[in-house]
Amino acid sequence: LARAIVAQGQPVLPETVPDVTSATRDYQLTRTRDPDRLHQGLDRVAHDLLGLVRRKKEITRKWQAEAAAIHAQSLRMQAFPAGELSGRLGELRSIFRRRARGYEQHLPEALALICEASARTLGMRPYSVQVLGALIIHRGGLAEMATGEGKSLTATLPAIIAAWGGKPCHIITANDYLASRDAEELAPLYHACGVTVGWVGSHMPTAERQKNYSCGVVYVTSKELLADFLRDRLLLGNCHQAERRHIRKKLQAWGPAERGLVMRGIDTAIVDEADSVLIDEAVTPLIISQPHANQPLTEASRTAYDIAGKLTVSADYTVDHRYRDVRLTAAGEARLESLCSALPELWHGSSRRAELVTMALVAREFYRRDRQYVIEGDKVVIVDEFTGRMMPQRTWRQGLHQMIEAKEGLPLSDPSETLVRLSFQRFFRFFRKLGGMTGTALEAAGEFWHIYGLPVLTVPTNKPCMRQQLPSRYFADEPSKWQAICDEICACHGRGQPVLVGTRSVAASERLAGLLRARNIEHRLLNAVKHREEAEIIASAGQRGRVTIATNMAGRGADIKLGPGVAELGGLHVVLSEHHESKRIDRQLFGRSGRQGDPGTARVFGSMEDELLQRLGPARLVGGLPQAVLRNGDEMRRFVKHLVSLAQHAAERLAFNQRKAVMQTDEWLTDALSFAKSDMDMSS
C-alpha cells in the first residue's frame, strides 16, 4: 500500500484507487445494504425506546472524556519528527485496510495522529469537542454541533478512517461551492494521511466525474450523488448483480456500458447539514427522466389554464391552504363541462378534464413567482423553499411545470417521461455506514432514529455561547412589521453593528431591499436570483456597518467572522423577519451570530399576516388577534409565540407525512415490481 511520505513539507500522493482485486472492486461497484422495513406498532415502541437509550447524555459524557484523552495525546505528538509521524500513519492505514484483529483499539491513536497532521498541514488542531463529533460520526451517530464550531474539519477525521478501509467514502455537502472549497482546502491533510480527495459538481463532465469518484474521499451534494447512482444503474440495466456481470464478461458480452459508469460504489456517507439533506430536502424523490414530446398535452395545458381563469373560488372550487389542495364543487364541474369544448377531444372525459383543470388551479393558487420559482430568460426555475436555492435541472411533474409556464406566458416545454426514481430516505439507508452533523437536529431526533437509525448526540461548544436572544416583536399586519424591521436595521447601522436579515422568500428579500433603498441604507442582497455571490456576501456579513439580506439559504456551511471592532459593538445582529415552518430553520439562522464565544444578538419579528399563521394557525384565534397584538405586551407576545409553535408543529407533522408517503411509495413499488427485488433495490 502507498504511504504518504512528508519530505520538507511536500507529501507524496498515494495511489488513487486502493490495491484490491478486480473481483472485489466489481463486487463493491453495486454493493448496497438492504434497508430494513420501518418499525411499526409495538416494534416501533421498542425501537423508539432503544433510540432514547442510544442518545442518553451519559454516552456523550463518556465519549467526551475519550475525546479529551485523544486531544491530549495529539499534543504530546508535537515532538514527533515528520518521518516518524508519516510512518506511523502509514502503519495504521495498513492495519485499518486489512481489518486486522483488534484494529478498532488503534482508533484513539489514529485520531490523535490525524489531529497532529492537521496542525502541521492546515495550521488547525481539532479541539476536543471536534474530536467528540468525530467519534459520534464514526460510531454511526449524528452530532449536533453549533454553527462556527468547525464541522468541516470534524468530518475529515472519520472520513480518513473510513477511506483507510479501502471502500468509498462520500461527504455530503450543501452545494457545489462548499464541495469544491472543502476538498481543496483540506487536501493537504488528506494527502499527509495517505488518502486522495476529490469533489463532484453539477456541471462536471463524465471523465472528470470518474476521476474524482475514484478518490478515497469524495465531496458531493446529495442530488448529484443520487443522480449519478441512478444513472449508473440505468447503464448497468439487468447486470446490477456482480455475479451476472461476471458471467457476461466470461461470455465477452460486456463492455460499453461499463466504460460509462462514473462511481465505484457506495459504502460510507458523512452528511453535513444533515437536517437539510435527510429531512427538509427529502420530501421529494429524485427522478431521472427524459423529455417526451406530447403536443396534445402541451396544447391542452395552455387551454386548461385559460379555463381555470374563468372559474370562481368558493363557487366553482374550494381551496385548502393547509394541505395545498383544490377541489371542484358540483357547480364547478357543471361549469367545466360547458367550457371543455375548447380542450382537445382526448380531455373531454369528466375525470381527465377535471384532473387537468385542477392542476391549473393549483398553479394559480399556490405557486408564486419569486417564492416557489423564478424566471430566467424564458425558463421557469424551481426555488427550493427550505434553502432558497435555485434548482435549474429540476421540473415539476404531472403537468404542473407546463401549467406554471402557461401562467407566466412562456413557451411550454415538453413533459418528462420517468426512467427511474428513488427517494433520498431509501438511498441513504443503502449505505453500510451512515453518520452526520448539523447545527440543528434535536427537534427531529425521533425521525432521524426512526428512518435512518441515527441517534442524535449534542456536542458542547468549545467556548460558551454569548449570543443574546432579544424579546420577539409581533404586529397586526405586514407593513407595520417591515417598518419596524427597517427601524431596527437603521438603529444598528447607525452605531456600526452589522445586521443579517433572514427572509422566507425572494419576494420578501426584494421588498425589504426596496424599503432600505428608500432610507438610503447601503445593503447587500443574497437570494436565489443572486446565488452565485453567496460565499463572498456571507463571508463579509460580519464587517462593521454591513447590512445583509438573505433568504434562508444564508450561511449554511459558510463562516461569518466579525470585523475589527465589531465585538465591542455587540457582534452580529440577526433578524428573523418571519417564522419558518420548521423551528430548526429558525434556530439555524440564529446560529449565524455568537460563533466561537463571539458576542451577538438575535430577534424575531412577525405579523398576523405571515404565511405560517395564515395557512396553519388556528383560524379563529388568528383572525381575532390583529387588534390585540397592537398592544404587544409580554402576555400577548407569549400567546402569539404559542400559536406560532402550534403552527410549526402542524407544518412539521404535514412534512413528515409527506416524507412517509414517499417512502411508502418506494416500498410499494419495490414489492409490486418483481425486477426491483434485488440488490439494486430501487423503484423504476
Side-chain angles (χ1 to χ4, degrees):
L1 291 176
R3 178 178 296 175
I5 302 172
V6 180
Q8 298 166 351
Q10 298 299 319
V12 177
L13 300 186
E15 299 170 352
T16 300
V17 181
D19 183 18
V20 294
T21 66
S22 176
T24 302
R25 230 179 3 248
D26 190 54
Y27 174 72
Q28 179 60 50
L29 187 69
T30 52
R31 175 180 178 269
T32 61
R33 171 181 170 270
D34 188 18
D36 299 326
R37 286 189 175 274
L38 298 182
H39 295 276
Q40 304 290 338
L42 291 176
D43 286 343
R44 169 78 183 271
V45 174
H47 185 67
D48 289 349
L49 289 174
L50 178 60
L52 292 174
V53 173
R54 289 284 305 277
R55 57 179 185 264
K56 288 176 66 176
K57 292 182 179 179
E58 288 77 4
I59 294 177
T60 304
R61 284 195 286 267
K62 178 183 175 182
W63 291 356
Q64 192 171 359
E66 185 178 350
I70 292 170
H71 179 70
Q73 186 178 2
S74 77
L75 292 174
R76 293 193 294 271
M77 292 176 175
Q78 293 179 85
F80 280 21
E84 184 179 346
L85 179 69
S86 62
R88 185 56 183 157
L89 280 167
E91 291 170 7
L92 287 174
R93 179 172 181 259
S94 178
I95 290 171
F96 277 84
R97 172 66 185 88
R98 291 183 288 106
R99 303 276 182 183
R101 182 187 296 272
Y103 74 95
E104 275 287 334
Q105 71 184 21
H106 295 284
L107 179 64
E109 182 189 3
L111 292 176
L113 285 166
I114 295 170
C115 288
E116 176 58 21
S118 174
R120 297 189 188 192
T121 57
L122 304 176
M124 298 184 292
R125 183 181 301 278
Y127 304 121
S128 61
V129 291
Q130 289 174 299
V131 178
L132 171 59
L135 287 172
I136 292 171
I137 295 168
H138 176 73
R139 289 165 178 167
L142 199 159
E144 182 179 88
M145 300 177 67
T147 302
E149 291 294 301
K151 291 191 284 291
S152 296
L153 183 59
T154 298
T156 61
L157 277 68
I160 289 169
I161 299 295
W164 280 353
K167 294 183 175 64
C169 176
H170 298 94
I171 298 183
I172 314 302
T173 62
N175 55 59
D176 288 351
Y177 162 73
L178 294 176
S180 63
R181 183 202 70 180
D182 289 351
E184 291 166 7
E185 291 184 357
L186 300 169
L189 171 59
Y190 285 113
H191 294 164
C193 296
V195 174
T196 51
V197 60
W199 72 279
V200 174
S202 56
H203 301 294
M204 194 172 280
T206 299
E208 195 172 352
R209 284 176 185 265
Q210 290 172 328
K211 177 183 175 182
N212 283 283
Y213 272 125
S214 71
C215 293
V217 174
V218 185
Y219 286 82
V220 61
T221 64
S222 60
K223 296 179 182 67
E224 287 302 310
L225 182 62
L226 177 50
D228 284 333
F229 176 84
L230 292 179
R231 282 191 284 260
D232 277 2
R233 292 306 174 97
L234 283 172
L235 280 174
L236 287 168
N238 62 0
C239 288
H240 52 267
Q241 293 173 319
E243 296 83 355
R244 183 172 293 183
R245 288 198 302 277
H246 184 68
I247 294 172
R248 290 283 294 272
K249 288 176 182 177
K250 290 292 185 183
L251 297 174
Q252 297 182 341
W254 176 255
E258 184 182 33
R259 290 193 291 272
L261 301 176
V262 297
M263 297 178 66
R264 65 182 181 103
I266 60 173
D267 182 78
T268 300
I270 299 172
V271 186
D272 193 8
E273 306 298 352
D275 62 324
S276 177
V277 174
L278 298 179
I279 293 187
D280 296 336
E281 297 178 17
V283 175
T284 306
L286 192 139
I287 298 171
I288 300 292
S289 60
Q290 63 183 10
H292 181 70
N294 190 332
Q295 190 62 28
L297 177 60
T298 302
E299 294 174 359
S301 295
R302 194 177 295 280
T303 304
Y305 189 82
D306 293 337
I307 291 173
K310 299 175 182 179
L311 302 181
T312 306
V313 67
S314 299
D316 297 324
Y317 64 94
T318 59
V319 178
D320 187 335
H321 290 281
R322 177 181 290 262
Y323 294 97
R324 295 192 176 187
D325 186 35
V326 171
R327 292 181 182 274
L328 291 170
T329 63
E333 291 179 354
R335 182 161 171 73
L336 179 57
E337 185 177 5
S338 66
L339 297 170
C340 75
S341 59
L343 287 169
E345 187 174 352
L346 182 62
W347 277 270
H348 282 191
S350 59
S351 60
R352 300 205 69 180
R353 71 191 180 213
E355 180 182 358
L356 199 63
V357 173
T358 298
M359 186 61 69
L361 291 170
V362 167
R364 291 177 63 92
E365 294 292 337
F366 300 122
Y367 288 81
R368 299 284 181 266
R369 183 171 178 171
D370 292 338
R371 183 177 287 273
Q372 285 87 9
Y373 64 92
V374 295
I375 304 298
E376 281 203 336
D378 60 351
K379 302 291 184 183
V380 170
V381 180
I382 298 174
V383 174
D384 189 302
E385 290 191 67
F386 285 102
T387 65
R389 300 184 192 279
M390 292 194 295
M391 299 186 290
Q393 296 177 336
R394 280 196 176 187
T395 59
W396 284 295
R397 299 173 61 212
Q398 298 174 334
L400 177 59
H401 206 87
Q402 287 70 32
M403 291 301 178
I404 292 175
E405 289 171 334
K407 176 181 179 179
E408 296 293 340
L410 300 173
L412 269 61
S413 58
D414 287 331
S416 298
E417 177 185 20
T418 297
L419 300 177
V420 63
R421 55 161 278 161
L422 185 66
S423 71
F424 287 94
Q425 296 103 316
R426 192 167 184 81
F427 174 60
F428 281 108
R429 293 168 70 216
F430 283 168
F431 284 83
R432 180 187 65 84
K433 193 169 185 179
L434 180 64
M437 52 196 175
T438 183
T440 49
L442 282 180
E443 293 89 345
E447 184 170 350
F448 278 121
W449 176 254
H450 177 57
I451 303 295
Y452 304 102
L454 285 172
V456 175
L457 297 169
T458 302
V459 176
T461 56
N462 184 51
K463 296 179 181 178
C465 180
M466 303 299 291
R467 183 177 62 252
Q468 182 182 1
Q469 188 72 40
L470 303 177
S472 304
R473 297 188 63 189
Y474 297 101
F475 299 86
D477 51 54
E478 283 202 331
S480 302
K481 178 189 73 174
W482 288 115
Q483 290 301 324
I485 290 174
C486 286
D487 292 343
E488 180 135 330
I489 292 171
C490 290
C492 293
H493 184 68
R495 59 178 178 267
Q497 184 179 13
V499 182
L500 172 65
V501 185
T503 63
R504 278 195 61 180
S505 65
V506 176
S509 66
E510 298 282 3
R511 178 177 184 176
L512 179 57
L515 293 172
L516 291 180
R517 281 193 295 269
R519 298 197 186 194
N520 295 317
I521 298 295
E522 185 179 347
H523 59 278
R524 306 191 76 179
L525 180 61
L526 173 63
N527 55 33
V529 180
K530 294 178 168 57
H531 66 295
R532 293 176 180 86
E533 298 90 346
E534 174 183 356
E536 190 272 329
I537 292 175
I538 285 298
S540 61
Q543 300 302 308
R544 186 184 181 96
R546 185 63 50 86
V547 176
T548 307
I549 307 170
T551 48
N552 55 19
M553 67 197 291
R556 296 208 78 154
D559 204 7
I560 301 178
K561 296 182 179 179
L562 300 184
V566 171
E568 289 74 18
L569 297 171
L572 178 68
H573 180 53
V574 171
V575 171
L576 178 61
S577 65
E578 182 178 351
H579 283 287
H580 296 90
E581 293 187 358
S582 172
K583 295 177 183 177
R584 288 179 291 102
I585 299 177
D586 289 353
R587 195 153 64 90
Q588 186 76 32
L589 185 63
F590 295 150
R592 302 313 307 159
S593 75
R595 59 173 292 279
Q596 281 293 329
D598 287 340
T601 53
R603 191 194 301 274
V604 178
F605 286 79
S607 81
M608 296 302 102
E609 294 179 351
D610 288 347
E611 181 185 353
L612 176 68
L613 285 176
Q614 288 293 314
R615 188 165 78 90
L616 296 165
R620 292 183 181 179
L621 292 175
V622 172
L625 276 178
Q627 293 304 315
V629 167
L630 293 175
R631 297 193 296 271
N632 209 22
D634 289 341
E635 291 184 4
M636 183 53 62
R637 182 165 54 246
R638 284 194 293 269
F639 182 67
V640 175
K641 286 180 71 174
H642 180 64
L643 288 184
V644 168
S645 181
L646 290 175
Q648 287 179 324
H649 180 70
E652 289 167 352
R653 188 171 61 250
L654 285 171
F656 173 74
N657 288 335
Q658 284 181 287
R659 293 188 290 272
K660 189 176 178 181
V662 170
M663 286 201 67
Q664 287 173 339
T665 300
D666 271 351
E667 291 185 351
W668 177 82
L669 286 171
T670 300
D671 290 340
L673 302 176
S674 59
F675 56 81
K677 292 289 289 182
S678 65
D679 66 344
M680 182 177 182
D681 203 6
M682 67 178 182
S683 306
S684 57

